[in-house]
Amino acid sequence: MLNLKEQCRIHWNWKDGTFEDKVLIRHSTKQMPWMQFDCSERRLWLSTRNHIQCYRVNQKGHLYEDYSRKLRGPKDDISKFCTKDGLTVCGTRDGSVCGWHSEKSQLLFHYHKISRSEIQAVDFYRDVVISGSRDSTIKMMSMAYHEVENNNQILKTLKAGDRVWSLAVAPDGSTFASGSGGRYEESPLLLWDFATASVICPLESRHRRGAGVLDIKYESPQTLLTCGYDTSVRLWDTRTHSCVASWCEPFDSAIYCLDSDQHMSIVTGTARYGMTRLWDKRKTFPVQMYYTGQQSSPVYSLAFNSRHLYVALDLSLNMLDFTR
């Protein structure tokens, strides 16, 4: 636990943009990696090609690979994954969905090519998995632990109206939100009832053509954050079905991903130059911007805590260390 003096010093480092950029992992070829950070267990999960690697994070933020928890199984590259409650579920570029017991690295199921196109989003709640694909469908599936290969576990197939870029289930499993490409007249952001798999309402009545939603994060069962090609972060209240706050990217760049501390801080990753931004919900303009990697790469995913910011680029995983 940091003392108050250290907390204050690190706070000003974030605000002033004072950090040390460290390359933790290098890739030999360009990739579109996805990352998830488990703060409670100090573990970072990172997808690389067709497997997911687990890293232990020490107090200084450095990574040590846990080879016993390397998740293998898919034949094609992993596009997105979700890990929680001791389970990890992923979607792949050949339209398949896989699930593992995270601690044992045991493959629990592999639904082979359940979608006609690559799966861009995946999430789950209890024993139900949802996936979104470029073929404009959302699949709801049952986890069948007793069968590894089975294509008959699809509970429902939902029409999203456009290619699906993002999905997220509310923490209490009451609703889920889907973000699509926004190429047509229909809203790119839909709120669904998880139990009935029916649309509750669109969360955006007026949108620019092509303003797709690339990332969704629930902060509570009633609030969620979104970002995408409209170059803005938006906070939505599912009780009033309205946008209650928004923050616009000053450089008019698409926002690929976001993360939140569940309080006042938001960090976003943009489409160019490895640029991330720190936002305070109480302010209109960003607190600070950070460039990392010294390359013209989108930020495909990110995660942060009070000391460090992890940024997944096409050729590396970088850490911004604000303790220096």
Side-chain angles (χ1 to χ4, degrees), residues 237-253:
D237 191 323
T238 60
R239 295 163 294 190
T240 60
H241 306 158
S242 62
C243 178
V244 295
S246 64
W247 302 270
C248 185
E249 165 58 43
F251 290 171
D252 199 35
S253 177

Side-chain angles (χ1 to χ4, degrees), residues 209-230:
R209 187 68 63 88
V213 178
L214 296 177
D215 199 7
I216 301 173
K217 292 283 192 308
Y218 271 90
E219 290 199 311
S220 73
Q222 294 81 34
T223 58
L224 59 92
L225 291 164
T226 63
C227 66
Y229 286 120
D230 67 349

Side-chain angles (χ1 to χ4, degrees), residues 32-165:
M32 298 175 66
W34 191 250
M35 170 178 56
Q36 190 171 333
F37 185 54
D38 186 343
C39 294
S40 60
E41 297 188 359
R42 299 193 62 81
R43 289 193 186 125
L44 186 145
W45 300 83
L46 178 71
S47 63
T48 306
R49 295 181 179 175
N50 64 340
H51 56 267
I52 301 172
Q53 295 163 283
C54 177
Y55 297 90
R56 291 179 289 109
V57 184
N58 68 9
Q59 290 294 325
K60 294 184 178 180
H62 293 285
L63 305 182
Y64 298 89
E65 185 170 0
D66 188 342
Y67 294 97
S68 65
R69 293 191 173 123
K70 191 170 185 176
L71 308 181
R72 302 180 178 90
K75 296 180 180 179
D76 210 337
D77 288 353
I78 293 171
S79 51
K80 292 287 178 65
F81 69 88
C82 177
T83 180
K84 56 186 175 183
D85 303 327
L87 299 172
T88 300
V89 176
C90 82
T92 66
R93 303 200 181 280
D94 66 354
S96 302
V97 173
C98 299
W100 296 266
H101 189 294
S102 304
E103 301 301 314
K104 301 177 181 178
S105 301
Q106 176 187 357
L107 183 65
L108 301 175
F109 58 87
H110 182 181
Y111 302 150
H112 185 61
K113 294 185 177 180
I114 61 167
S115 295
R116 293 174 297 174
S117 184
E118 63 183 285
I119 292 175
Q120 294 285 351
V122 67
D123 202 351
F124 64 93
Y125 181 74
R126 293 182 179 173
D127 62 346
V128 176
V129 179
I130 59 172
S131 67
S133 172
R134 289 176 63 95
D135 65 7
S136 303
T137 64
I138 297 172
K139 307 280 187 180
M140 300 188 74
M141 296 150 281
S142 172
M143 294 188 190
Y145 301 149
H146 60 287
E147 298 182 22
V148 175
E149 295 283 348
N150 195 320
N151 292 327
N152 300 317
Q153 298 299 323
I154 298 176
L155 303 174
K156 291 182 181 179
T157 298
L158 313 175
K159 300 295 184 181
D162 198 357
R163 62 183 65 174
V164 180
W165 289 123

